[in-house]
Amino acid sequence: MNEAEAKTLVLDVLSSIAPEADLAGLRGKVALRDELDLDSMDFLNFITFLHQRTGINIPEADYPKLSTLDSAVAYLHR
Amino acid sequence: MTEFRMPSLGADMEAGTLVEWLVKPGDRVKRGSVVAVVETQKGAIEIEIFNDGLVSEIVVPVGGRVPVGTVLARLDGPAITPAQAAPPSLPPPLPAAAPPPAPPPSVPIVPIATAAPSRQPASPAARRLAGERGIDIQRLRGTGAGGAVTVADVEAAAPTVPGGETGRRRAGFDPAAMRQAIAAAMSRSKREIPHYYLSQTVEISGALARLERVNRERLPPDRILPAAFFLRAIALAMAKTPELNGFWEEGRFRPGDSVHIGWAIALRGGGLVAPAIRDADHRSLDELMASMRDLVLRARSAGLRSSELSDPTVTVTSLGDRGAETVLPIIYPPQVAMIGIGRIVTRPWVVNGAIEPRPVVTITLAGDHRASDGHRGGVLLAEIDRLLQEAETL
Amino acid sequence: MSAATGTPAPRRMTYREACKQAIRAAILADPRVFLMGEDVARYGGCYAVTKGLAAELGEARIRDTPLSENGYVGAGIGAAIAGMRPIVEIMTVNFSLLALDQIVNSAATIPHMSGGQFAVPLVIRMATGAGLQLAAQHSHSLEGWYAHVPGLKILAPATVEDARHMLQPALDDPNPVLIFEHVMLYNREDELEPSITGVDIVSAKIRRPGRDITLVTHGGMLFKTLEAAAVLHEEGIEAEVIDLRVLRPLDMATILGSVARTRRVVIVDEGWKSGSLSAEVAARIADEAFYELDAPIRRVCSREVPIPYSAHLEKAALPQTPAIVAMARGLVKGG
């Protein structure tokens, strides 16, 4: 997956969790959970959908690496 | 003959608007089938039926707004088993000569939708969507492989349901109406219910250790959240404290038939619903987690069912890891208790005479003092605490 | 993952080298592991996977066998039951048919027939597939046959990462595991991320996400399918590419999840259509996701002929990128 594809995937998953959010204006370095008001269930769904779309097993210990848009894209884009 | 009535989806519901019928006269329905969609202050809810039978009459048309209890449709006959539903009667063993042709049946035979010669091909997904929206697929021009009607073709088509705007408004609910409903229920609660509040701070390092160990070996779809532990402990403790599990109705307490926990879900963009996790005390940790996930996803896409909204015996709210430390909940009438779970925080804790940092959570009970006294509430919280200390066996 | 400071840079290597490193690491890590097969030691393997390993690890760990597939696969089963962790290399799947009795009647059934008393932790590696003009007796893709048999686990590593990391979990598995290495992949190069030290042998992987159509494939067909997805992207069609990785048991959850999103599916398989793995995947999708489908399930497979020797006929007999593109386009754009 290249960087652009990873970004598309992350935004697509976020739009299914926070359909009302304006993702076009989402800043890359701010915490997603604060910016999009994601509770722990939303965040688990975010991880789950990313896992289902990529097959990557994202362990709990790696959750902090997916806390912002930029870091989540970097995590998926290996 | 049975009557299918507008159900009450909570004490605060007075009326509902029929948005869509999913059955028509002549259709056979089974207990638990979703037969209609009703718009309430909680959004569009799929209504299930509680009898088997044959729909004989639709009484309230689409668009009708009627009070709770109004007859919506009538059903014929007792439960019909598949064997009885087979063709009227099997012919007797064939005589040597062909029998005379049977007289035409008095009931007109409705042609079933199988291969008609010139039928418009359509994909399975398109057929399902067209059925949901009441669109006649034969009218559409297909743009898919082999000229088949696709989901996109159905989406582009105008709905054919009378009075329908865009078919079923699955995601459509009116935030202002929901605000009004919450306002009414909460005002009634604070006006009528003499609340007492108790709280207990519970040390949960054992539960979190088990959680971390379990989740490490699981893929994301199967992971669990701390809330599942709390819910399991609360469900088991509620089953032991029946005075707090039920309803205050007509001046007296009516115990719930089982522990149905209303799980409070904040809707994105405002508002709140508390669909029921039925028989929560009989569900395992994984089953509770699966129920919570399912309800959250469906609540936020307004796909809840009537049976989930009508009968929680107690409500639980969990503030999650971005919430406040303590919550003092307001009971949802006619229930008699509500339990709040605060944010997990690390606090100094005395262990064997020494102070250690430990993860703790504050669990709060709001009780209806008409139905129970503070002592019973204290017993409930102590039991929740005890169960959470035995997280390995929870 | 982007390399954090201080972590080693990705290493570029061939699929062949990744297979070799996997074998070498497994043998060094566990005294019970050894590899045997025809021409694996002195000659270095018919596809040169084990070249140099006998000199480094000794002929006790890299063992040449007689030309007798049924014999040495049977020896591998016995060694596995007796507590060793053998890796048996068979030159190609075509020759594995000589060992069918040992694989299907013995390896797959002994754990069952012994009531669980005997595990058979055996790994059999073999090359599969066409493309090197080796003609009809050396070119067939028969991994789908083995995926028919309960008791076997069937892996098809397509990427360098899977070639490097699937062997260890296969050895750790108490059941016989067959690993199919497509002949056209051995020279393919890719970067191996050093921070990834293991993979599962359970799940299918989405190698490219997309919303319009799902392309299900495995092994040697993965890269033609990814190429097709890139062409489709130019036409505005976003294809999701699933690499099955594990052919038995199938990870249906990943396939069904994808089909539920895209509503269309093409299965790309170098095996023939009749009675095949692609037929099985199609049947299960029709069974379990029928109401999600917005188009017929289609397949791109090899022509139903013995794979020809002549280069242009061989090419014509195998699934090629333009055929995948055309099939997918037809399902998305209609006509």
Side-chain angles (χ1 to χ4, degrees):
Chain A
M1 193 181 319
N2 67 32
E3 193 173 338
E5 285 162 353
K7 186 167 179 185
T8 306
L9 174 64
V10 171
L11 289 175
D12 195 36
V13 167
L14 285 174
S15 73
S16 67
I17 292 169
E20 79 294 346
D22 173 21
L23 295 174
L26 189 61
R27 290 169 292 163
K29 302 224 184 301
V30 300
L32 288 173
R33 297 194 52 183
D34 295 334
E35 194 80 347
L36 299 176
D37 191 21
L38 305 182
D39 66 17
S40 38
M41 186 71 82
D42 291 324
F43 191 73
L44 180 57
N45 282 328
F46 173 59
I47 298 289
T48 299
F49 293 155
L50 288 177
H51 161 76
Q52 286 169 343
R53 298 278 292 269
T54 62
I56 300 172
N57 169 18
I58 305 166
E60 272 192 332
D62 283 359
Y63 286 2
K65 296 180 187 167
L66 291 100
S67 62
T68 70
L69 176 63
D70 286 356
S71 69
V73 169
Y75 185 90
L76 297 173
H77 156 55
R78 348 171 158 227
Chain B
M1 167 82 69
T2 1
E3 287 171 333
F4 171 57
R5 293 167 185 273
M6 175 68 79
S8 168
L9 307 175
D12 51 337
M13 172 167 161
E14 289 166 0
T17 304
L18 217 125
V19 179
E20 186 182 358
W21 278 108
L22 302 171
V23 293
K24 56 185 185 310
D27 283 357
R28 186 152 283 137
V29 293
K30 291 181 68 103
R31 179 184 163 82
S33 318
V34 174
V35 296
V37 180
V38 167
E39 182 84 21
T40 71
Q41 289 155 322
K42 291 168 182 163
I45 305 296
E46 296 178 339
I47 308 293
E48 298 138 297
I49 201 160
F50 290 95
N51 300 87
D52 294 352
L54 200 65
V55 178
S56 60
E57 186 191 357
I58 298 283
V59 180
V60 174
V62 167
R65 178 175 166 79
V66 294
V68 167
T70 307
V71 174
L72 300 175
R74 293 199 169 84
L75 300 185
D76 266 345
I80 294 174
T81 64
Q84 289 168 302
S89 61
L90 292 170
L94 279 182
S106 55
V107 185
I109 293 169
V110 182
I112 48 170
T114 51
S118 64
R119 100 179 166 153
Q120 167 67 53
S123 78
R127 281 183 184 281
R128 184 178 58 183
L129 185 65
E132 284 174 7
R133 296 192 174 179
I135 292 172
D136 178 5
I137 217 156
Q138 298 296 321
R139 290 191 308 113
L140 303 184
R141 203 178 65 80
T143 63
V149 173
T150 64
V151 167
D153 298 331
V154 175
E155 282 171 343
T160 46
V161 280
E165 289 152 49
T166 53
R168 195 189 312 187
R169 284 173 291 164
R170 292 195 62 87
F173 80 97
D174 178 352
M178 177 174 279
R179 200 69 253 160
Q180 283 300 312
I182 294 171
M186 294 301 101
S187 302
R188 176 182 159 197
S189 177
K190 279 282 174 172
R191 198 165 55 236
E192 294 179 4
I193 302 180
H195 287 66
Y196 65 84
Y197 287 103
L198 303 172
S199 79
Q200 175 113 346
T201 300
V202 181
E203 196 272 348
I204 52 163
S205 58
L208 294 185
R210 178 172 172 209
L211 186 81
E212 194 191 333
R213 200 179 63 239
V214 167
N215 283 348
R216 203 180 309 136
E217 291 172 4
R218 292 186 175 189
L219 292 173
D222 300 320
R223 287 184 195 149
I224 52 183
L225 292 171
F229 278 93
F230 302 144
L231 203 58
R232 172 113 173 108
I234 289 167
L236 293 175
M238 284 303 297
K240 285 191 174 179
T241 325
E243 300 93 323
L244 294 165
N245 186 58
F247 312 97
W248 184 263
E249 286 170 344
E250 293 164 4
R252 60 195 189 85
F253 175 66
R254 177 171 68 85
D257 57 345
S258 179
V259 179
H260 306 314
I261 292 187
W263 178 247
I265 298 169
L267 299 181
R268 304 189 61 82
L272 193 64
V273 286
I277 299 175
R278 295 182 58 88
D279 301 311
D281 54 327
H282 292 113
R283 294 185 191 228
S284 69
L285 213 49
D286 285 322
E287 287 165 345
L288 286 171
M289 183 66 202
S291 299
M292 282 158 49
R293 287 184 92 148
D294 175 51
L295 287 176
V296 168
L297 280 174
R298 284 195 293 116
R300 289 180 180 163
S301 59
L304 293 172
R305 307 247 161 85
S306 51
S307 60
E308 291 161 349
L309 283 175
S310 42
D311 60 356
T313 56
V314 63
T315 299
V316 175
T317 183
S318 170
L319 302 185
D321 54 3
R322 295 176 61 244
E325 230 176 290
T326 309
V327 54
L328 300 174
I330 301 173
I331 297 168
Y332 185 68
Q335 295 165 29
V336 298
M338 179 154 175
I339 296 170
I341 305 161
R343 174 167 48 97
I344 298 170
V345 290
T346 303
R347 289 287 177 265
W349 197 255
V350 177
V351 184
N352 298 329
I355 294 176
E356 287 185 16
R358 288 288 176 106
V360 299
V361 68
T362 300
I363 298 181
T364 317
L365 168 74
D368 182 340
H369 220 324
R370 297 171 301 180
S372 69
D373 303 321
H375 174 68
R376 291 307 294 168
V379 168
L380 175 88
L381 289 180
E383 178 65 7
I384 293 171
D385 190 341
R386 189 188 69 77
L387 287 162
L388 285 170
Q389 299 318 307
E390 296 172 1
E392 289 298 327
T393 54
L394 205 54
Chain C
M1 203 183 315
S2 64
T5 46
T7 55
R11 262 201 68 193
R12 206 166 173 80
M13 71 174 70
T14 60
Y15 182 98
R16 172 184 289 108
E17 176 66 20
C19 291
K20 180 181 184 170
Q21 287 200 8
I23 294 164
R24 186 175 176 277
I27 288 178
L28 289 174
D30 185 343
R32 298 172 302 174
V33 177
F34 69 96
L35 179 136
M36 65 176 161
E38 293 161 3
D39 287 342
V40 296
R42 261 168 282 182
Y43 182 69
C46 64
Y47 285 100
V49 168
T50 52
K51 207 167 186 65
L53 283 186
E56 181 191 350
L57 303 169
E59 296 213 1
R61 312 294 295 278
I62 306 286
R63 307 174 73 102
D64 276 329
T65 64
L67 302 191
S68 171
E69 283 79 2
N70 211 37
Y72 64 78
V73 171
I77 294 170
I81 290 174
M84 300 295 280
R85 293 289 180 275
I87 306 168
V88 171
E89 175 175 312
I90 301 177
M91 285 185 171
T92 86
V93 67
N94 306 270
F95 309 147
S96 77
L97 304 190
L98 291 157
L100 265 182
D101 179 58
Q102 289 294 2
I103 298 172
V104 177
N105 273 335
S106 295
T109 61
I110 285 172
H112 164 78
M113 295 191 74
S114 69
Q117 295 182 80
F118 298 122
V120 184
L122 167 71
V123 173
I124 306 177
R125 297 173 42 247
M126 60 187 97
T128 186
L132 298 173
Q133 276 198 277
L134 294 171
Q137 292 167 331
H138 298 73
S139 298
H140 289 153
S141 292
L142 302 178
E143 56 270 27
W145 281 12
Y146 288 103
H148 178 66
V149 181
L152 300 178
K153 194 168 274 189
I154 310 298
L155 310 183
T159 62
V160 169
E161 182 178 293
D162 278 348
R164 174 62 187 83
H165 295 302
M166 273 186 153
L167 180 65
Q168 190 57 50
L171 283 165
D172 295 338
D173 196 293
N175 299 295
V177 180
L178 274 58
I179 303 181
F180 289 89
E181 298 160 8
H182 195 282
V183 295
M184 298 303 284
L185 295 175
Y186 283 122
N187 287 333
R188 176 169 276 278
E189 277 189 25
D190 204 348
E191 296 201 332
L192 194 61
E193 173 62 49
S195 66
I196 295 172
T197 55
V199 298
D200 70 73
I201 53 169
V202 176
S203 58
K205 265 200 170 161
I206 295 173
R207 298 292 186 194
R208 176 187 176 113
R211 60 166 193 271
D212 296 326
I213 188 165
T214 299
L215 308 177
V216 179
T217 190
H218 74 269
M221 285 295 112
L222 174 63
F223 297 96
K224 286 181 184 175
T225 306
L226 284 169
E227 256 174 55
V231 174
L232 289 164
H233 170 75
E234 297 301 314
E235 301 180 10
I237 296 172
E238 297 304 332
E240 181 148 298
V241 177
I242 294 182
D243 172 6
L244 288 175
R245 299 177 70 250
V246 183
L247 310 187
R248 182 185 186 94
L250 284 169
D251 173 12
M252 286 310 295
T254 296
I255 299 171
L256 296 173
S258 176
V259 170
R261 290 190 299 274
T262 65
R263 302 183 178 282
R264 301 175 183 91
V265 61
V266 173
I267 302 152
V268 184
D269 183 3
E270 196 176 309
W272 297 296
K273 273 185 184 172
S274 303
S276 65
L277 184 73
S278 65
E280 178 62 28
V281 172
R284 292 201 196 183
I285 293 170
D287 189 2
E288 296 175 49
F290 182 76
Y291 295 103
E292 307 295 340
L293 290 170
D294 208 11
I297 304 167
R298 291 270 158 84
R299 289 183 284 164
V300 179
C301 297
S302 285
R303 298 291 187 94
E304 305 245 342
V305 294
I307 301 296
Y309 165 75
S310 133
H312 67 290
L313 289 178
E314 182 181 49
K315 191 175 171 204
L318 298 174
Q320 302 295 349
T321 304
I324 304 169
V325 170
M327 188 67 87
R329 186 197 292 129
L331 289 184
V332 176
K333 297 214 164 154

